[in-house]
Amino acid sequence: MSIQRSIVLVYYREPEFLRSTLSALQAEFLDASAEAEIIVVDNAFDDQMKKEVEQSWPAVRWVTSPSNLYYGGGNNLGVSKAQGVWVCILNCDVSWEAGMLKKFFALAESRADVQLAVPLLRYPDGRTQVSAHKNFPTLGSVFVDYCLPLQLYAMRYGVHPMQLSTIDHQTGFITHATGVALYVQRSVFLSSGGFDPAYEMYLEETDWQRRLSKSGIHPYFIAETPIVHFGSAQKKWAQATPQYLLSLRHYANRWWEKQDGWYLWPTLSLAAILSTL
């Protein structure tokens, strides 16, 4: 029997989230062999968690990565092991009302013009998480994100140069989305080359969706099927970790005009100075 869909979870030192998500998936898809194949890619070399999953969720396929492949490489490995026509690349730190994930899959599969779909994301308190974007990152959008007064103004009045306002998180095609739950035809993911492993953390899904856009493939945002994302609950400002900034430099070198890349660090410095003042 062919498998309609596979669900790939990359695991790294978040056992409580993994347990919760696997329990929810087991309840959502009672017949895992026919409805959904579930694959966990272990980036943490957690033998104790592996044994727990094998005992509590025997239908789950556990794949141990050769090293910590991070988000991009871990998902590439998981999708390479998948057999479904569709693949859901799903974060572990999520939850949903019973039946919501299955409804999201069905809505995406029902449209012949959809090859990649994403759901609405919410914070645990019910607020909409900004995850749908009208443009790809530019030097201007980076300046707005790192200049806190401008970011506050742009988010409050819905004039951010990249992000859609929360009121505009409506069903339809968008430019790109945050990679918390990406539902894509497996053949599309494989033919695109998957995520670029040069991005160890952050912007992998943005770079991937930009490559897909060159082939006319854009994410279809489905607002009727919200999913709660816990990992972003405490995040208020743009990422400023060394890993994110290295990924941003890699993204700029690939996609921006050369002069924009030259101005990246001065732009970040000016935004930081203005924020401090």
Side-chain angles (χ1 to χ4, degrees):
M1 180 184 297
S2 62
I3 299 174
Q4 175 63 12
R5 59 189 69 89
S6 301
I7 300 169
V8 174
L9 304 164
V10 173
Y11 167 69
Y12 187 77
R13 298 179 182 176
E14 293 181 320
E16 292 303 322
F17 280 136
L18 182 61
R19 293 186 187 106
S20 175
T21 300
L22 289 179
S23 296
L25 288 172
Q26 185 178 56
E28 192 90 343
F29 303 101
L30 297 177
D31 186 358
S33 62
E35 291 189 89
E37 169 192 45
I38 302 170
I39 299 171
V40 174
V41 177
D42 178 18
N43 269 341
F45 315 107
D46 191 339
D47 290 336
Q48 183 176 348
M49 195 66 205
K50 176 184 178 182
K51 293 177 182 177
E52 181 179 338
V53 169
E54 290 173 343
Q55 293 173 0
S56 301
W57 299 277
V60 172
R61 293 178 60 193
W62 185 275
V63 177
T64 301
S65 63
S67 61
N68 182 2
L69 301 176
Y70 301 97
Y71 172 91
N75 280 303
N76 286 346
L77 176 59
V79 176
S80 74
K81 303 293 185 181
Q83 302 176 58
V85 176
W86 289 78
V87 176
C88 182
I89 295 170
L90 186 66
N91 278 22
C92 291
D93 56 345
V94 294
S95 70
W96 57 89
E97 293 183 6
M100 196 63 70
L101 191 65
K102 186 180 291 188
K103 179 181 178 181
F104 166 59
F105 292 166
L107 288 173
E109 294 166 9
S110 68
R111 291 188 57 118
D113 58 345
V114 171
Q115 296 170 283
L116 167 63
V118 294
L120 174 71
L121 301 180
R122 292 196 185 282
Y123 292 106
D125 63 6
R127 291 178 297 123
T128 296
Q129 178 186 336
V130 174
S131 61
H133 309 295
K134 58 188 175 183
N135 293 305
F136 288 105
T138 64
L139 187 64
S141 70
V142 167
F143 179 71
V144 170
D145 279 339
Y146 283 88
C147 184
L148 302 189
L150 274 180
Q151 188 190 47
L152 284 172
Y153 178 88
M155 296 300 294
R156 179 172 183 177
Y157 294 103
V159 293
H160 194 284
M162 182 184 72
Q163 299 173 351
L164 284 168
S165 65
T166 54
I167 198 171
D168 290 324
H169 278 53
Q170 303 293 328
T171 297
F173 286 98
I174 60 175
T175 300
H176 74 105
T178 304
V180 173
L182 302 167
Y183 196 47
V184 61
Q185 293 178 5
R186 184 165 60 94
S187 60
V188 169
F189 187 88
L190 294 176
S191 64
S192 71
F195 297 120
D196 182 353
Y199 296 92
E200 288 189 355
M201 295 178 67
Y202 310 111
L203 293 173
E204 304 96 328
E205 77 274 31
T206 305
D207 175 89
W208 174 66
Q209 289 173 77
R210 189 155 187 171
R211 284 186 277 124
L212 284 182
S213 71
K214 299 297 183 181
S215 302
I217 298 174
H218 304 281
Y220 186 68
F221 186 84
I222 302 179
E224 296 91 335
T225 53
I227 290 177
V228 174
H229 180 214
F230 294 99
S232 62
Q234 303 301 320
K235 193 175 91 173
K236 297 180 179 179
W237 313 114
Q239 294 279 3
T241 62
Q243 295 91 342
Y244 184 85
L245 295 176
L246 287 173
S247 290
L248 183 59
R249 164 54 68 188
H250 184 63
Y251 182 90
N253 288 340
R254 169 170 288 177
W255 295 108
W256 293 359
E257 296 292 335
K258 184 176 293 186
Q259 61 269 24
D260 286 347
W262 291 340
Y263 291 127
L264 176 58
W265 299 132
T267 297
L268 292 173
S269 299
L270 176 60
I273 292 170
L274 291 175
S275 299
T276 302
L277 292 175

